Amino acid sequence: MLRRNVVISLVGFLVLTLGASVAARAESKQEIDVSVKDTLQRFTSANPAHAELLRKAVGVLVFPRITKAGAGIGGEHGNGALLKGGTVVNYYSLTSASLGLTLGAGQRSEVLLFMTHEALSKFEASHTWSVGVDAQVALVSQGAGGAYDSETLKKPILGFVFDEKGLIGDLSLKGSKIKQIEPK
């Protein structure tokens, strides 16, 4: 009986996660653009040094809201945009799944800064880009206001995870798959 309840709970979590993913995929370009702008404002407000990093970056990939949920089996999803010179050039989705590592539900924002043309070109040329497989992202800090050192800033891709909300037992960029989308 207990095992049956656990299975039903897991299936319920997966249905909710899938439902959230489907709803998130329905975002329009305009909704994503507004969320990206707001996220970048929070990002630069949290640490004035971020404005300089944004100016130096050749590309900025912003995921305003990534939702993650699960109990043993988990998933996450979020939509975002790639900016060059402050202008949106393409839209992307981020997804991942995990088994045995996730407990709870939560949301977060992510900003990836492409500091070299080579790193940005590899990202744009890929159909599906996997963090940790296709590229090593230097996770600068958890929390947009965090400090970073000069060695970290030499990396070709810098990642910031911030605005965490909810209770989730696993938080990382590794294993996330990013692919280009065409929102309505």
Side-chain angles (χ1 to χ4, degrees):
M1 186 65 164
L2 179 61
R3 180 175 241 186
R4 181 174 174 238
N5 289 341
V6 170
V7 170
I8 290 171
S9 295
L10 286 174
V11 170
F13 247 125
L14 290 175
V15 169
L16 288 173
T17 302
L18 182 59
S21 295
V22 171
R25 291 179 203 267
E27 289 179 300
S28 70
K29 289 180 181 181
Q30 183 179 10
E31 290 169 322
I32 295 171
D33 290 349
V34 168
S35 295
V36 164
K37 182 179 176 183
D38 291 345
T39 301
L40 287 174
Q41 286 176 343
R42 287 192 320 275
F43 181 67
T44 55
S45 294
N47 184 336
H50 291 164
E52 181 62 24
L53 286 176
L54 287 172
R55 279 191 290 281
K56 289 180 179 179
V58 295
V60 180
L61 184 59
V62 181
F63 290 99
R65 183 179 53 253
I66 298 170
T67 303
K68 186 170 190 168
I73 300 172
E76 68 180 346
H77 177 79
N79 289 332
L82 176 65
L83 294 88
K84 290 183 186 175
T87 303
V88 172
V89 295
N90 281 312
Y91 297 90
Y92 291 85
S93 70
L94 178 146
T95 57
S96 75
S98 63
L99 179 61
L101 297 176
T102 305
L103 179 60
Q107 290 186 331
R108 69 182 187 275
S109 298
E110 288 184 15
V111 174
L112 297 177
L113 304 178
F114 294 89
M115 305 308 289
T116 67
H117 289 284
E118 180 184 4
L120 180 60
S121 294
K122 284 181 182 178
F123 171 75
E124 290 183 300
S126 68
H127 295 291
T128 301
W129 192 74
S130 297
V131 177
V133 175
D134 296 318
Q136 296 299 316
V137 175
L139 184 59
V140 177
S141 66
Q142 291 182 341
Y148 34 84
D149 61 37
S150 59
E151 281 305 307
T152 300
L153 296 179
K154 293 178 184 176
K155 304 292 184 188
I157 305 170
L158 306 176
F160 293 83
V161 176
F162 59 102
D163 283 352
E164 297 96 351
K165 296 175 182 85
L167 297 172
I168 193 85
D170 172 42
L171 182 64
S172 69
L173 295 171
K174 201 166 192 170
S176 299
K177 297 194 182 319
I178 299 171
K179 69 176 184 173
Q180 190 173 342
I181 59 170
E182 187 58 44
K184 57 184 177 164

